[in-house]
Amino acid sequence: MSSKYSLLRLPAFLYSLPTQLIGSRVYSFKEVDSTNQIAMILAEEGAPEGAVVVADRQHNGRGQRGRGWYSPPGVGIYLSIILKPRSVLATVHQLSLLAAVATAECIESATGLKAGIKWPNDVIINNHKVAGILVEAHWAEEIKYLILGIGINVNHTKDMFLTQGFPAATSMAIETGRECLREELLRELMLKLDHWHRIYQEDGFEPLWGRIQDMDRTPGGWVEVVSMGECFEGEALGIDKDASLLVRTGEIVRRVTQGRIRVSCDQLQHLNSTDSNITTPEQH
Ligand code: BTN
């Protein structure tokens, strides 16, 4: 690891986390370019599965579709986890939704507000994006490891977003009118991620899907899908049992798993693009 980044002393609670996998090792930095990038370097250097990288600030935080993630100091949670799935069946979308559920649950218990999920990676409160997930897979012959990155807008002010040109973004503090303790939130997040990861390993995606039913804010939105030379628009029906998105075009319901999708949502007041792919229609 380059000496460009200096490690911070860990908060005491991180030494005694009652987790099985998440936080097997924790690397805490004052500032980095991107915690996903540092996690990738550490994974290449042999860091174990479950290792977590956190930073107080990112200079080049990465978002979906090559965009950035606004990561000023002192107000957010920027965290990446190294995962080494044994099976490629553990899809990027399933892990992205696992992280979204854990994040939404933490936000709910810290704010008392209902948090929702927009397929595949947005966590929203009152129809505004409060957190995002970025899963990056690294392959050799087969999958080597995944980096699961989570960014949460915790104590950002409205002015911060306005000056950056993100009028539709929100933070937990904006929605509640009070600051939230980031250390407590980070602890809670690691516990929830560990909890859901254990269930996912043991029982697959179905238990998570059950939880998602209650949080899914995708239905009703209008999406544009581009995949394998095909392009269509339709109504997003919701997240299915395998983590795919179901889209209705006329009488046909299509299953979207990878490729490119633009989710248009008037209430979010922005267009969000992500990777996706279409498979053949099924009987929904
Ligand atoms: C999105 O565009 O919604 C995904 C945002 C993901 C941001 C997080 S912050 C921690 C981790 N490190 C990064 O560079 N990106 C992710």
Side-chain angles (χ1 to χ4, degrees), residues 34-36 58 60-64 69 78-80 121-122 129 132-134 149-151:
S34 154
T35 54
N36 266 31
Q58 296 186 115
N60 197 12
R62 299 178 187 163
Q64 289 281 336
W69 184 256
Y78 317 116
L79 157 144
S80 300
N121 74 314
D122 289 357
K129 182 161 173 172
I133 319 287
L134 178 66
I150 304 174

Side-chain angles (χ1 to χ4, degrees), residues 7-45:
L7 277 165
L8 282 181
R9 204 184 151 82
L10 291 182
F13 74 86
L14 285 175
Y15 288 106
S16 55
L17 266 187
T19 54
Q20 210 170 67
L21 181 77
I22 307 299
S24 58
R25 203 167 286 173
V26 182
Y27 303 85
S28 172
F29 295 89
K30 189 165 170 48
E31 45 195 318
V32 295
D33 282 340
S34 154
T35 54
N36 266 31
Q37 177 211 17
I38 301 291
M40 189 201 80
I41 294 169
L42 290 166
E44 291 291 338
E45 289 176 356

Side-chain angles (χ1 to χ4, degrees), residues 10-253:
L10 291 182
F13 74 86
L14 285 175
Y15 288 106
S16 55
L17 266 187
T19 54
Q20 210 170 67
L21 181 77
I22 307 299
S24 58
R25 203 167 286 173
V26 182
Y27 303 85
S28 172
F29 295 89
K30 189 165 170 48
E31 45 195 318
V32 295
D33 282 340
S34 154
T35 54
N36 266 31
Q37 177 211 17
I38 301 291
M40 189 201 80
I41 294 169
L42 290 166
E44 291 291 338
E45 289 176 356
E49 182 171 41
V52 167
V53 178
V54 282
D56 185 51
R57 173 186 199 172
Q58 296 186 115
H59 290 283
N60 197 12
R62 299 178 187 163
Q64 289 281 336
R65 307 263 334 122
R67 288 177 304 190
W69 184 256
Y70 177 48
S71 313
V75 290
I77 285 189
Y78 317 116
L79 157 144
S80 300
I81 303 165
I82 299 170
L83 293 175
K84 301 185 177 175
R86 276 149 285 282
S87 153
V88 282
L89 292 175
T91 68
V92 167
H93 284 326
Q94 290 182 355
L95 287 164
S96 185
L97 286 167
L98 184 155
V101 167
T103 305
E105 286 185 343
C106 287
I107 292 174
E108 282 189 353
S109 61
T111 62
L113 298 173
K114 199 102 187 85
I117 293 175
K118 279 214 160 239
W119 189 91
N121 74 314
D122 289 357
V123 179
I124 58 174
I125 309 181
N126 294 329
N127 273 317
H128 293 279
K129 182 161 173 172
V130 68
I133 319 287
L134 178 66
V135 183
E136 296 181 293
H138 296 264
W139 296 77
E141 294 286 286
E142 52 189 25
I143 195 147
K144 274 171 78 185
Y145 54 87
L146 290 168
I147 306 297
L148 176 56
I150 304 174
I152 309 180
N153 301 334
V154 185
N155 291 324
H156 302 52
T157 62
K158 196 76 207 162
D159 274 356
M160 291 169 104
F161 289 128
L162 289 176
T163 50
Q164 294 294 318
F166 305 127
T170 197
S171 72
M172 295 166 65
I174 293 170
E175 297 302 319
T176 57
R178 61 185 150 79
E179 289 209 348
C180 175
L181 283 176
R182 285 185 303 153
E183 281 195 1
E184 271 179 23
L185 191 70
L186 178 61
R187 180 176 195 279
E188 204 47 35
L189 180 61
M190 287 169 67
L191 294 177
K192 288 270 188 227
L193 285 164
D194 194 69
H195 164 81
W196 280 114
H197 188 267
R198 198 166 54 237
I199 290 177
Y200 179 62
Q201 291 288 88
E202 284 165 13
D203 303 322
F205 188 70
E206 202 151 335
L208 265 163
W209 184 71
R211 189 71 184 92
I212 286 167
Q213 295 312 288
D214 190 36
M215 298 180 155
D216 189 5
R217 302 288 178 271
T218 319
W222 195 254
V223 293
E224 297 166 27
V225 182
V226 182
S227 180
M228 297 171 172
E230 200 186 353
C231 177
F232 63 87
E233 291 185 16
E235 180 195 357
L237 297 181
I239 298 165
D240 203 11
K241 275 195 176 115
D242 60 352
S244 60
L245 177 69
L246 298 175
V247 180
R248 186 201 303 280
T249 51
E251 293 301 299
I252 299 171
V253 175

